[in-house]
Amino acid sequence: MIDIQKQRDYRNIPIDKVGIKNLRYPIKVMDKSNGVQSTIATIGMFVDLPHQCKGTHMSRFVELLNLFREQVSLDSIDNILEDMKTTLGAQSSHIEITFPYFVEKEAPVTGCKGLMDYICSIHGSSTPERDRDMVLKVAVPITSVCPCSKEISKYGAHNQRGEVLVSTRFKRLIWIEDMINLVEGCASCDVYSVLKREDEKAVTERGYENPKFVEDVVRDVSQILNDDENITWFSVSAENFESIHNHSAYAYIENGDRTNF
Amino acid sequence: MIDIQKQRDYRNIPIDKVGIKNLRYPIKVMDKSNGVQSTIATIGMFVDLPHQCKGTHMSRFVELLNLFREQVSLDSIDNILEDMKTTLGAQSSHIEITFPYFVEKEAPVTGCKGLMDYICSIHGSSTPERDRDMVLKVAVPITSVCPCSKEISKYGAHNQRGEVLVSTRFKRLIWIEDMINLVEGCASCDVYSVLKREDEKAVTERGYENPKFVEDVVRDVSQILNDDENITWFSVSAENFESIHNHSAYAYIENGDRTNF
Amino acid sequence: MIDIQKQRDYRNIPIDKVGIKNLRYPIKVMDKSNGVQSTIATIGMFVDLPHQCKGTHMSRFVELLNLFREQVSLDSIDNILEDMKTTLGAQSSHIEITFPYFVEKEAPVTGCKGLMDYICSIHGSSTPERDRDMVLKVAVPITSVCPCSKEISKYGAHNQRGEVLVSTRFKRLIWIEDMINLVEGCASCDVYSVLKREDEKAVTERGYENPKFVEDVVRDVSQILNDDENITWFSVSAENFESIHNHSAYAYIENGDRTNF
Amino acid sequence: MIDIQKQRDYRNIPIDKVGIKNLRYPIKVMDKSNGVQSTIATIGMFVDLPHQCKGTHMSRFVELLNLFREQVSLDSIDNILEDMKTTLGAQSSHIEITFPYFVEKEAPVTGCKGLMDYICSIHGSSTPERDRDMVLKVAVPITSVCPCSKEISKYGAHNQRGEVLVSTRFKRLIWIEDMINLVEGCASCDVYSVLKREDEKAVTERGYENPKFVEDVVRDVSQILNDDENITWFSVSAENFESIHNHSAYAYIENGDRTNF
């Protein structure tokens, strides 16, 4: 049976990335408290294609993923990236994995336990220019209380759910939980899945005592990441789903060495 | 050229709805202040198909829409529904039109003008059992301040953006603007696109003075709609994008005569 | 500490549904081949609220879910529904659970294994009028080949990915896998996650030999469900993400006894 | 009334981008055939914030947009970018505008007219390093027919809707219509809103005669853009919503001078 993909291409145009996208797949991720947790990821896998090749072999991406089934975790990404290059005869390989990650969290006063969900992504690349590039992205929902509204109003202050998205490059592997804790400590207050009345009083007061603009949140996160010698690059954005508007307030800071990626 | 759709079907199964879905289309909608406004809709159009027909003629739905181009408005829906039945040889016809609708709104103190957007839908049906059934749906973003959080906390109160969705059946045509005003009057405070500092003080204080659960919001909207003799049926839901949780609080009331649809 | 929610309400308006929505949560679902599978659900939980009560107690919904943690499965829904009524002092309770479900599937010629994902929902209700009402919804991606295009064209036929959504009420519990198989058997061809060249030839030819309109697909599914005495009610829709249009073709059939829900 | 945003910040951290996001707004866009067309955009507007300023003034972004109301078009973006810097005392300004754009298109045989929709974005920036940077993005739905499936199968070939996303930087302003035509010429066949039977035959046959992988589509688009001296940079991706899989095939090429942005 003829292999069309293997035929020679004469357009003389190499392709940066070719592969599969939006594949839903169950994975296991390393969990700081429990060793490992099962979750469902959406996955993209890509390689480069030299100018002389007509097409890549799409089925091999999924076959490769199946080999790693149950072991698709942060620390196996290097192996997947290498196997993608070998299996597909490529110089570069890229994988993007996005998944909800759950952390058990106690309410601040009653200690009631609940599960909080955080959407995380891992983007891994292996290219001739840069042996391995890995970025961890964590989206953390927060409470933000407006400092201006608090200051100018007789009572109350508008507040809302916000989302902080932190992306990091690092020397040693970092825990998702540590990124979450870092961000939650920079919010007006963090967000819980179960709050009893005593807890609700506590988080309301903590938020009111601790008003923050989106500008404050990204600066406070940046300050900590700037001082962390393990972090070689980061970006942090904060988006407030404003309670007084039908649009968002947004702030973004990026820092670190971009020359080598 | 053979017309496969026109062939006889022997499975003896009539089809309730067949047609097109997720068609993006520019429309004009009646506007209480300005006569008419241009917007972009997502449209579904369906008819029934008798058991003996193999298929409907999908292209005719879009052709019909093109005939009404620039006149796809609330009051032309009856004509579209009738033309769908004639053109497609059907007993029943249905159209669903969803679009953002804009209202110019002044900030409460400074009077600064801005445009607020509301997602609206019109669902029209014409069937043998019920000559014409029309439902107007309006989604209104609101501010909601938690009564419990206010009461139990030393200061502050958690608040958030919420969304109220009102669906109505009516005797005489109603204005989208009137539905919006009704809902905004039942919120802790309404939402604006431009607020200067004086306005922000006003909306913060108004919200704090006027705390409401999702339960309160749907009850207050229901109370008004119950008393409106023009409304023959309604449903109202309120969803709060809780600032202290990563999930929503939700309440729903439906009322009116469902026997005839 | 005062319990605002418990206060008396004087508006005299009962609320149909009040609770939480869009809560992401890890669950385990019964799996015909492997006993159980872990997945991630999006959950809504609601009860009614009598006219004299000001508010429900939102935190109890999540606490209840935590009690069932790791046992949130199809057959435990009755227990959750009963516990919701008891815990919240309600007459009615409702739960809606939506999750991706994975099935290992072999390619038709090479037998290569891959995981297919299907989005499923379970809607359970317990009300005074109807002790228990349960609906299972399964969304099945399919290949559909256009019979008209095949017939009128010299060669080829436009085809595309489609999605069939089947909802059923039943006497005895049914397997998600059985609903999937039923639908896949009614498509031009079913969809796979891994296909080698031999498989691609097989599915291309099978689809071409087996052209179906959306009308055909919903009729074929209906015919089987009509004949199944275990099914008391169903609806089935087919949506084709047309390869020759930027909108969808759509068909819908509903059948069964609606008098008691 | 105190201006909290204007206070001095001591963290010594400048912010790259701060502003508003996800604002829905009616705009007018230049239209090659009709002069101008009305559409609805989703808009983000951002400026930098120097390290010594605590916050930006969010309401000014919307006020500025209101000034340009009805004239928010491709050629007014320079003015908006300049006014953002002046109004907000910033060194850099950024605007991102995303909207559906409609083109009237005739069916290939019958000449039946219909409206095709394309999602477009304009990203404009003005920074100290680069006076003006503008990127136009156009998403074009296409039909793609698989060359491998055609070659190895007795008859038929799997095909599907795909989406090509082209982003360009340019010397002289380019028309959205020209980008659309370029992409549609590189597909197996283009997509229409109205096709009669004669047209359906024509597009089915044209697609079958013209099979293309995602790799072929991005290469063919690249070849044309490489040869266009008006284009200083581009990226092009093609994503096929595979009719035989529940995931996408994807290819991406980027080319041009990135040193100055």
Side-chain angles (χ1 to χ4, degrees):
Chain A
M1 195 174 281
I2 193 170
D3 187 345
I4 297 277
Q5 282 88 341
K6 240 183 157 174
Q7 291 178 341
R8 192 174 171 85
D9 200 274
Y10 295 95
R11 278 164 290 195
N12 203 30
I13 300 178
I15 296 182
D16 295 303
K17 289 183 183 179
V18 57
I20 59 167
K21 212 178 159 176
N22 283 326
L23 179 78
R24 215 179 269 119
Y25 208 85
I27 63 166
K28 289 193 190 291
V29 184
M30 287 197 308
D31 179 314
K32 199 177 182 183
S33 309
N34 307 306
V36 76
Q37 73 170 262
S38 298
T39 186
I40 307 296
T42 302
I43 297 179
M45 299 170 80
F46 316 102
V47 295
D48 70 305
L49 188 72
H51 71 86
Q52 72 275 11
C53 298
K54 185 161 173 62
T56 194
H57 289 85
M58 297 285 182
S59 63
R60 295 186 192 165
F61 292 95
V62 188
E63 287 181 294
L64 197 77
L65 204 57
N66 288 342
L67 284 182
F68 282 91
R69 188 172 166 187
E70 299 293 295
Q71 288 102 25
V72 177
S73 66
L74 267 168
D75 56 345
S76 66
I77 284 189
D78 277 351
N79 297 333
I80 300 179
L81 289 171
E82 285 314 302
D83 282 12
M84 284 170 69
K85 291 195 287 187
T86 311
T87 308
L88 289 145
Q91 299 287 310
S92 307
S93 58
H94 311 269
I95 188 165
E96 300 174 2
I97 307 178
T98 301
F99 52 90
Y101 184 84
F102 291 86
V103 176
E104 193 171 72
K105 196 172 164 184
E106 294 185 4
V109 178
T110 62
C112 278
K113 286 176 181 172
L115 284 178
M116 272 295 301
D117 60 306
Y118 305 89
I119 303 296
C120 302
S121 291
I122 304 162
H123 288 210
S125 289
S126 176
T127 60
E129 300 78 39
R130 187 174 164 85
D131 185 42
R132 196 203 66 164
D133 181 36
M134 204 182 309
V135 180
L136 175 67
K137 298 170 190 261
V138 183
V140 182
I142 61 163
T143 305
S144 86
V145 178
C146 179
C148 171
S149 168
K150 174 182 174 179
E151 188 65 32
I152 62 181
S153 305
K154 261 189 300 186
Y155 31 63
H158 80 79
N159 51 73
Q160 52 268 318
R161 199 190 300 162
E163 187 180 84
V164 178
L165 180 60
V166 185
S167 303
T168 49
R169 287 182 166 90
F170 38 82
K171 296 177 193 160
R172 297 176 311 280
L173 272 191
I174 52 180
W175 289 102
I176 292 173
E177 285 84 346
D178 293 344
M179 282 297 107
I180 292 170
N181 289 339
L182 187 165
V183 170
E184 291 188 340
C186 295
S188 291
C189 191
D190 44 344
V191 159
Y192 296 83
S193 72
V194 183
L195 292 170
K196 307 303 290 179
R197 269 207 305 290
E198 297 84 341
D199 304 309
E200 189 170 352
K201 174 178 161 63
V203 299
T204 303
E205 294 172 359
R206 176 143 53 103
Y208 190 77
E209 290 159 358
N210 200 22
K212 300 234 186 174
F213 291 125
V214 284
E215 291 95 324
D216 292 313
V217 175
V218 295
R219 274 175 167 149
D220 288 348
V221 172
S222 292
Q223 211 160 28
I224 300 174
L225 293 175
N226 280 336
D227 291 348
D228 185 338
E229 59 78 40
N230 187 40
I231 303 297
T232 59
W233 170 92
F234 70 88
S235 73
V236 52
S237 68
E239 179 172 0
N240 273 359
F241 310 111
E242 297 281 288
S243 61
I244 59 173
H245 296 303
N246 201 26
H247 58 263
S248 298
Y250 179 84
Y252 175 84
I253 291 174
E254 181 180 338
N255 210 354
D257 187 4
R258 293 203 66 178
T259 53
N260 43 8
F261 52 88
Chain B
M1 194 174 283
I2 192 169
D3 187 345
I4 296 276
Q5 283 88 340
K6 240 183 159 175
Q7 291 178 340
R8 192 173 170 84
D9 200 273
Y10 295 96
R11 278 164 291 195
N12 203 30
I13 299 178
I15 296 182
D16 295 303
K17 290 183 182 178
V18 58
I20 59 167
K21 213 177 158 177
N22 283 327
L23 179 78
R24 214 180 268 118
Y25 208 84
I27 64 167
K28 289 194 191 290
V29 184
M30 286 194 311
D31 179 316
K32 198 177 182 181
S33 311
N34 307 307
V36 75
Q37 73 171 263
S38 298
T39 185
I40 308 297
T42 303
I43 296 180
M45 299 170 80
F46 316 102
V47 295
D48 71 305
L49 188 72
H51 71 87
Q52 72 276 11
C53 298
K54 184 162 172 64
T56 194
H57 290 85
M58 298 283 183
S59 64
R60 295 186 193 164
F61 292 94
V62 188
E63 286 180 296
L64 196 77
L65 203 58
N66 288 342
L67 284 181
F68 282 92
R69 189 174 165 184
E70 301 291 295
Q71 290 101 24
V72 177
S73 66
L74 267 168
D75 57 344
S76 67
I77 283 189
D78 276 350
N79 297 333
I80 300 180
L81 288 171
E82 286 313 303
D83 283 11
M84 282 169 72
K85 290 196 287 188
T86 312
T87 308
L88 289 145
Q91 300 286 310
S92 306
S93 58
H94 311 270
I95 189 165
E96 301 174 1
I97 307 178
T98 301
F99 52 90
Y101 184 83
F102 291 87
V103 176
E104 192 170 71
K105 197 172 164 185
E106 293 186 4
V109 178
T110 62
C112 277
K113 286 176 181 172
L115 284 178
M116 270 296 301
D117 59 309
Y118 306 89
I119 302 296
C120 301
S121 291
I122 303 162
H123 288 211
S125 289
S126 176
T127 60
E129 301 78 38
R130 188 173 162 83
D131 186 40
R132 196 204 65 166
D133 181 36
M134 204 181 310
V135 180
L136 175 66
K137 299 169 189 262
V138 183
V140 181
I142 60 162
T143 305
S144 87
V145 178
C146 178
C148 170
S149 168
K150 174 183 172 179
E151 188 64 33
I152 62 181
S153 305
K154 262 188 300 186
Y155 32 61
H158 80 80
N159 51 74
Q160 51 268 319
R161 201 191 298 164
E163 187 180 82
V164 177
L165 180 60
V166 185
S167 302
T168 49
R169 289 182 164 89
F170 37 83
K171 297 176 194 160
R172 299 176 310 281
L173 272 190
I174 53 180
W175 290 103
I176 292 172
E177 286 83 348
D178 293 344
M179 283 296 108
I180 292 169
N181 289 340
L182 188 165
V183 170
E184 291 187 339
C186 294
S188 291
C189 190
D190 45 342
V191 159
Y192 296 83
S193 72
V194 182
L195 292 170
K196 306 305 292 179
R197 267 206 306 291
E198 297 83 341
D199 305 307
E200 189 171 352
K201 174 179 162 60
V203 299
T204 303
E205 294 172 357
R206 175 143 53 103
Y208 191 77
E209 290 159 357
N210 201 22
K212 300 233 187 176
F213 290 126
V214 283
E215 291 94 325
D216 293 313
V217 175
V218 294
R219 275 177 167 145
D220 287 349
V221 171
S222 292
Q223 211 160 29
I224 300 174
L225 292 174
N226 281 337
D227 290 348
D228 185 339
E229 59 77 42
N230 187 41
I231 303 297
T232 59
W233 171 92
F234 70 88
S235 73
V236 52
S237 69
E239 178 173 0
N240 272 0
F241 309 111
E242 297 281 290
S243 61
I244 59 172
H245 295 304
N246 201 27
H247 58 263
S248 296
Y250 179 83
Y252 175 83
I253 291 174
E254 181 179 338
N255 210 354
D257 188 5
R258 293 202 67 177
T259 53
N260 45 6
F261 52 85
Chain C
M1 194 175 280
I2 192 169
D3 187 345
I4 296 276
Q5 282 88 339
K6 240 183 156 174
Q7 291 178 342
R8 193 174 170 84
D9 200 274
Y10 295 96
R11 278 165 291 195
N12 202 30
I13 299 178
I15 296 181
D16 295 303
K17 289 184 184 179
V18 58
I20 59 168
K21 213 179 159 176
N22 283 327
L23 179 78
R24 215 179 269 118
Y25 208 84
I27 63 166
K28 289 194 190 290
V29 185
M30 287 194 309
D31 179 315
K32 198 177 182 182
S33 310
N34 307 306
V36 75
Q37 73 171 261
S38 298
T39 186
I40 307 296
T42 302
I43 296 179
M45 299 169 80
F46 315 103
V47 294
D48 71 305
L49 189 71
H51 72 85
Q52 72 276 10
C53 298
K54 184 161 172 64
T56 194
H57 290 86
M58 298 282 183
S59 63
R60 295 186 193 165
F61 292 94
V62 189
E63 286 181 294
L64 197 77
L65 204 58
N66 288 342
L67 285 181
F68 282 91
R69 187 173 167 187
E70 300 292 297
Q71 289 101 26
V72 177
S73 67
L74 267 168
D75 57 345
S76 67
I77 283 190
D78 277 350
N79 296 333
I80 301 180
L81 288 170
E82 285 314 303
D83 282 12
M84 282 169 71
K85 290 196 287 188
T86 311
T87 307
L88 290 145
Q91 300 287 309
S92 307
S93 57
H94 311 271
I95 188 164
E96 301 174 1
I97 307 179
T98 301
F99 52 90
Y101 184 84
F102 291 87
V103 176
E104 192 171 73
K105 198 172 164 184
E106 293 186 5
V109 178
T110 61
C112 278
K113 287 177 181 171
L115 285 178
M116 271 296 301
D117 60 307
Y118 305 89
I119 302 295
C120 303
S121 291
I122 303 162
H123 288 210
S125 289
S126 176
T127 60
E129 300 78 39
R130 188 175 163 84
D131 186 41
R132 196 204 66 166
D133 182 36
M134 203 180 311
V135 181
L136 174 68
K137 298 168 189 262
V138 182
V140 181
I142 61 162
T143 304
S144 87
V145 177
C146 179
C148 170
S149 168
K150 173 181 173 180
E151 189 65 31
I152 62 182
S153 304
K154 260 188 301 185
Y155 31 62
H158 80 80
N159 51 73
Q160 52 267 319
R161 200 191 299 164
E163 187 181 82
V164 177
L165 180 59
V166 184
S167 303
T168 49
R169 288 181 165 90
F170 38 82
K171 296 177 193 159
R172 297 177 311 281
L173 272 189
I174 52 180
W175 290 103
I176 292 173
E177 285 84 347
D178 293 345
M179 283 296 107
I180 292 169
N181 288 340
L182 187 165
V183 171
E184 292 187 339
C186 295
S188 292
C189 190
D190 44 342
V191 159
Y192 296 83
S193 71
V194 183
L195 292 170
K196 307 303 293 179
R197 267 206 306 291
E198 296 83 341
D199 305 308
E200 189 171 351
K201 173 178 164 60
V203 299
T204 302
E205 294 172 358
R206 175 144 51 103
Y208 190 77
E209 290 159 358
N210 201 21
K212 300 233 186 175
F213 290 126
V214 283
E215 291 93 325
D216 293 313
V217 175
V218 294
R219 275 177 167 147
D220 287 348
V221 172
S222 292
Q223 209 159 29
I224 299 174
L225 293 175
N226 280 336
D227 291 348
D228 185 339
E229 58 77 40
N230 187 41
I231 303 296
T232 59
W233 171 93
F234 70 88
S235 72
V236 52
S237 68
E239 179 172 0
N240 271 0
F241 310 111
E242 297 282 289
S243 62
I244 59 173
H245 295 304
N246 201 26
H247 58 262
S248 298
Y250 179 84
Y252 175 84
I253 291 174
E254 181 179 339
N255 210 353
D257 187 4
R258 293 204 66 180
T259 53
N260 44 6
F261 52 86
Chain D
M1 195 176 282
I2 192 171
D3 188 345
I4 296 275
Q5 282 88 340
K6 238 183 160 174
Q7 291 178 339
R8 191 173 172 87
D9 200 273
Y10 295 97
R11 278 165 291 196
N12 202 31
I13 299 179
I15 295 181
D16 295 305
K17 289 183 183 179
V18 58
I20 59 168
K21 212 177 159 176
N22 284 327
L23 179 79
R24 214 179 270 117
Y25 208 85
I27 63 166
K28 290 193 189 291
V29 185
M30 288 196 308
D31 179 315
K32 198 177 181 181
S33 309
N34 307 306
V36 77
Q37 73 171 262
S38 298
T39 186
I40 308 295
T42 301
I43 297 179
M45 298 170 80
F46 315 102
V47 294
D48 71 305
L49 189 71
H51 71 86
Q52 72 275 9
C53 297
K54 183 160 174 62
T56 194
H57 290 84
M58 298 283 182
S59 64
R60 294 186 194 165
F61 292 95
V62 188
E63 287 181 294
L64 196 78
L65 204 57
N66 288 342
L67 284 181
F68 282 92
R69 187 173 167 186
E70 300 293 293
Q71 288 102 26
V72 177
S73 66
L74 267 168
D75 57 345
S76 66
I77 283 189
D78 276 351
N79 297 333
I80 299 179
L81 288 171
E82 286 313 302
D83 282 10
M84 283 170 70
K85 290 195 287 188
T86 311
T87 308
L88 289 145
Q91 300 286 310
S92 305
S93 57
H94 311 271
I95 189 164
E96 300 175 2
I97 306 179
T98 301
F99 52 90
Y101 184 84
F102 291 87
V103 176
E104 193 171 72
K105 196 173 165 183
E106 293 185 5
V109 179
T110 63
C112 278
K113 286 176 182 173
L115 285 179
M116 271 297 300
D117 59 307
Y118 305 88
I119 303 296
C120 302
S121 292
I122 305 161
H123 288 210
S125 290
S126 177
T127 60
E129 301 78 37
R130 188 173 163 85
D131 186 41
R132 195 204 68 165
D133 181 36
M134 204 181 309
V135 180
L136 175 66
K137 297 169 190 261
V138 182
V140 181
I142 61 163
T143 304
S144 87
V145 178
C146 178
C148 170
S149 168
K150 174 182 174 180
E151 188 65 32
I152 62 179
S153 305
K154 261 188 302 187
Y155 31 63
H158 81 80
N159 52 73
Q160 51 267 320
R161 200 190 299 163
E163 187 180 83
V164 178
L165 180 60
V166 185
S167 302
T168 49
R169 289 181 163 90
F170 38 82
K171 296 177 193 161
R172 300 175 309 280
L173 271 190
I174 52 180
W175 290 101
I176 292 173
E177 286 84 347
D178 293 345
M179 281 297 108
I180 292 169
N181 289 339
L182 187 165
V183 170
E184 292 187 339
C186 294
S188 291
C189 190
D190 45 344
V191 159
Y192 296 83
S193 71
V194 183
L195 292 170
K196 306 305 290 179
R197 268 205 308 289
E198 296 84 341
D199 305 308
E200 189 171 352
K201 174 178 162 62
V203 298
T204 303
E205 294 171 358
R206 175 144 52 102
Y208 190 78
E209 290 158 359
N210 202 20
K212 299 234 186 174
F213 290 125
V214 283
E215 290 95 325
D216 292 314
V217 175
V218 295
R219 274 175 167 147
D220 287 350
V221 172
S222 292
Q223 210 161 29
I224 300 174
L225 292 175
N226 280 336
D227 290 347
D228 185 337
E229 60 76 39
N230 188 40
I231 303 297
T232 59
W233 170 93
F234 69 88
S235 72
V236 52
S237 68
E239 179 172 0
N240 272 0
F241 310 111
E242 297 281 289
S243 62
I244 59 171
H245 295 303
N246 201 25
H247 58 261
S248 297
Y250 180 83
Y252 176 84
I253 291 174
E254 181 179 338
N255 211 354
D257 188 4
R258 293 203 64 178
T259 52
N260 44 8
F261 52 88

